[in-house]
Amino acid sequence: TARTDLAGRHVVVSAGGTREPLDPVRFLGNRSSGRQGVALAESAARRGARVTLVAANVADSLLPEDPAVTVHRVETTLELREAVRAAAAGADAVVMAAAVADFRPAGRSEHKIKKAPAGDGSTAEPEPIRLTTNPDILAELAADRLRPGQLVVGFAAETGDGTGDALSHGRDKARRKGADLLAVNQVGATQGFGDVPNDVTVLDRAGEVVARAAGTKTEVADALWTSVVERLRQAST
Ligand code: C5P
């Protein structure tokens, strides 16, 4: 039987990866396909929610066809921020699954950047790319709460390194960002990006584990919405 535990709810999901233009043809970007965000949108729609999906550079062939999902396509971090915040004003929950660029080029050339020839016919040394900091959309949403009682959820792809395991990095991030829930995706050589299984731990704001899910992006999405539904119920009682 179909679950309808998100009926009457409006949720916002961001998906994909932002691109930051250097000139009309080049950008700084990342490898996020948008599959996890799309799976979250589809899962929420199946459970009865009205969904706004803010899709950053997600291939058209991956976008959901469910009529309960409204798609807004964006390219840059600043566009993603505007679209998410506009939709979040009326949302019960916002899930930031998009890979957002922390930095963007400080300037954007109106014309394609050319190689500068050196006097002797060789190519001159390239100009360094200057960057400026993007806003942290998730931290802003957590601080602003655009609708009272709204649940704010982040994703974090973490790898273990010499200074600690993926989960302890996730705990630090959960506390720092101020989101209600943070889904920590342990990424390694074979997990995380593309069409491969995921291993996700859901942490609360204090960094405590509230759920674990391993499996497909659809299974991870379903587990995350179950945690969201629990929180929304707690808040309304
Ligand atoms: O700090 P990190 O990029 O690992 O955090 C990931 C989480 O923060 C994701 O939910 C991502 O969508 C969000 N994020 C954001 N704005 C940024 C960077 C990340 O909303 N500038």
Side-chain angles (χ1 to χ4, degrees):
T1 59
R3 266 183 292 190
T4 55
D5 53 5
L6 283 170
R9 302 287 194 183
H10 175 212
V11 302
V12 178
V13 177
S14 70
T18 59
R19 290 180 179 173
E20 306 295 346
L22 285 154
D23 69 15
V25 295
R26 304 186 181 93
F27 57 83
L28 301 179
N30 63 71
R31 294 184 186 280
S32 178
S33 67
R35 283 186 173 88
Q36 183 63 71
V38 168
L40 282 157
E42 288 173 332
S43 166
R46 273 195 302 274
R47 292 164 77 148
R50 189 163 63 81
V51 183
T52 302
L53 175 64
V54 180
N57 309 297
V58 179
D60 283 346
S61 60
L62 292 179
L63 291 174
E65 283 175 7
D66 193 313
V69 181
T70 302
V71 179
H72 294 287
R73 289 184 182 75
V74 297
E75 181 182 5
T76 67
T77 297
L78 295 180
E79 288 168 9
L80 183 93
R81 180 207 214 181
E82 284 318 299
V84 166
R85 289 179 70 88
D92 297 285
V94 185
V95 180
M96 285 291 299
V100 181
D102 292 316
F103 308 104
R104 66 178 183 275
R108 172 181 183 168
S109 170
E110 270 185 56
H111 306 285
K112 189 178 168 194
I113 299 163
K114 299 273 197 302
K115 281 184 285 196
D120 61 3
S122 68
T123 302
E125 282 297 305
E127 287 293 320
I129 296 172
R130 289 205 311 121
L131 300 176
T132 189
T133 305
N134 270 330
D136 189 317
I137 301 165
L138 178 64
E140 282 182 351
L141 289 167
D144 295 349
R145 304 289 159 162
L146 294 171
R147 178 171 155 175
Q150 171 175 85
L151 211 73
V152 175
V153 184
F155 263 80
E158 300 289 347
T159 58
D161 63 25
T163 64
D165 61 12
L167 214 52
S168 68
H169 288 303
R171 269 195 202 101
D172 291 342
K173 194 165 286 183
R175 295 196 193 101
R176 209 168 54 236
K177 297 252 185 185
D180 301 291
L181 297 171
L182 186 75
V184 179
N185 201 353
Q186 313 218 16
V187 295
T190 60
Q191 281 182 161
F193 286 106
D195 193 11
V196 292
N198 288 250
D199 183 354
V200 167
T201 304
V202 183
L203 304 177
D204 67 13
R205 207 171 171 159
E208 299 298 325
V209 175
V210 299
R212 289 208 59 163
T216 64
K217 290 184 176 182
T218 298
E219 287 166 325
V220 166
D222 281 330
L224 189 65
W225 289 123
T226 297
S227 295
V228 168
V229 166
E230 272 168 26
R231 289 285 152 136
L232 289 175
R233 277 208 193 110
Q234 282 167 18
S236 65
T237 52

